[in-house]
Amino acid sequence: MYKHILVPVDLADAAAAERAVAVARHFARRDGAQLSVISVVPAWPEDLERSPKDYEPELDAYLAGVRGDTEINGIIRVGGSISGRIIEAIEDRRIDLVVMASHNPRITDYLIGSNAAHVVLHAPCSVLVVRQGRLPTYRKLLAPVDLDHPETSAMAMEVAKGLVRAEAAALTVISIQPVVIDEAGNPPPDYQPRMDAFLAKHGAPGEIAGLLRLGGSISAEIRYAAEEIGADLIVMGSHDPHFTDYLIGSNAAHVALHTPCSVLVVR
């Protein structure tokens, strides 16, 4: 599925990326993909004369400890915003999947967003935001679909079904529809048939469970559903960022930032 996977690692807190590296290694072995680790080092005034090569020994020491039998390339970037430098590396190295760790959200994340959320919003490739856990594989998947934009949802569904086959996982599909009621106070009767038609087209209904939610915040309903079914991975599509996304964030970025399970945003 993937050809070149990138894992951002903070060398000052390398343990935080342990599961992300394990997941990336698992995917790289499965797909025969190239695997790279990037570390973005802040450029303080006294460090302006140092080049990226000056930081390589520390990264090499880290890679020696996690490489095992997997070939892992190291990338150093000095200065600039962390998320911006990660996106530069994505474009330079033709990365098609970023696997990055994310801590549990803090109050500052709700105000300015985390590096993971920024990468989810701006990256031109798929991004897997990994929460801490025991295994590098996934067993219960949740795939949110937008029935009004089936082309975006179809791409995420194909990735989700690939993971079902590769990881022997169970898949639940959810769609959140706006509450539009008629004069009698009833929602339109076509919501469930549209959901059933989507499931019939993209997978046998007997093999994929379906959930339909009416109204509410899209990102919040996705989080509630993930908790309800005990999902350990959400697989969702994302459009190219619009101007409003830069101001308030996309649903994918909100889910990646606030959900306690891992989230794979497919592009």
Side-chain angles (χ1 to χ4, degrees):
M1 293 173 63
Y2 300 108
K3 296 180 179 180
H4 196 170
I5 301 172
L6 181 69
V7 186
V9 173
D10 179 358
L11 294 177
D13 186 19
E18 181 178 355
R19 176 163 163 78
V21 172
V23 171
R25 182 189 291 115
H26 173 75
F27 280 18
R29 287 174 176 169
R30 185 194 69 190
D31 298 345
Q34 183 178 353
L35 179 57
S36 296
V37 164
I38 182 173
S39 184
V40 181
V41 181
W44 300 107
E46 61 269 24
D47 294 331
L48 291 178
E49 298 302 319
R50 300 183 69 182
S51 72
K53 286 188 175 296
D54 296 325
Y55 296 96
E56 288 181 358
E58 187 177 357
L59 180 58
D60 290 342
Y62 170 78
L63 294 178
V66 301
R67 184 174 282 123
D69 60 354
T70 305
E71 180 63 30
I72 306 178
N73 303 310
I75 304 170
I76 288 285
R77 292 287 188 271
V78 179
S81 75
I82 294 174
S83 59
R85 299 295 262 168
I86 291 170
I87 291 170
E88 284 180 10
I90 292 170
E91 295 169 345
D92 291 345
R93 304 298 178 102
R94 297 184 178 179
I95 303 297
D96 54 4
L97 176 66
V98 176
V99 181
M100 62 188 305
S102 180
H103 53 66
N104 291 325
R106 298 174 296 192
I107 185 63
T108 52
D109 296 329
Y110 292 87
L111 300 176
I112 62 174
S114 69
N115 286 311
H118 277 287
V119 173
V120 166
L121 186 59
H122 298 279
C125 67
S126 296
V127 181
L128 172 56
V129 179
V130 175
R131 302 291 187 191
Q132 291 302 314
R134 186 170 58 89
L135 297 173
T137 55
Y138 298 102
R139 293 290 179 261
K140 291 185 178 181
L141 313 182
L142 178 68
V145 300
D146 182 352
L147 298 179
D148 293 325
H149 297 88
E151 67 286 346
T152 300
S153 299
M155 185 186 308
M157 278 293 294
E158 289 305 309
V159 172
K161 289 192 294 183
L163 289 169
V164 167
R165 292 188 292 269
E167 311 290 339
L171 174 60
T172 299
V173 174
I174 182 172
S175 181
I176 298 93
Q177 296 295 319
V179 176
V180 180
I181 58 177
D182 60 22
E183 293 180 355
N186 300 312
D190 68 335
Y191 284 157
Q192 190 63 53
R194 289 173 65 199
M195 180 67 158
D196 293 342
F198 183 90
L199 292 175
K201 180 177 180 180
H202 294 282
E207 299 174 359
I208 301 176
L211 287 175
L212 188 63
R213 295 287 189 269
L214 300 181
S217 158
I218 292 176
S219 58
E221 291 297 330
I222 292 171
R223 298 198 308 271
Y224 299 153
E227 295 173 1
E228 179 182 317
I229 70 169
D232 49 19
L233 178 66
I234 297 172
V235 182
M236 61 189 301
S238 179
H239 53 68
D240 292 332
H242 300 304
F243 178 71
T244 53
D245 295 330
Y246 292 90
L247 299 177
I248 62 174
S250 68
N251 285 313
H254 276 289
V255 171
L257 180 61
H258 299 290
T259 305
C261 69
S262 299
V263 180
L264 173 59
V265 178
V266 178
R267 286 197 176 95

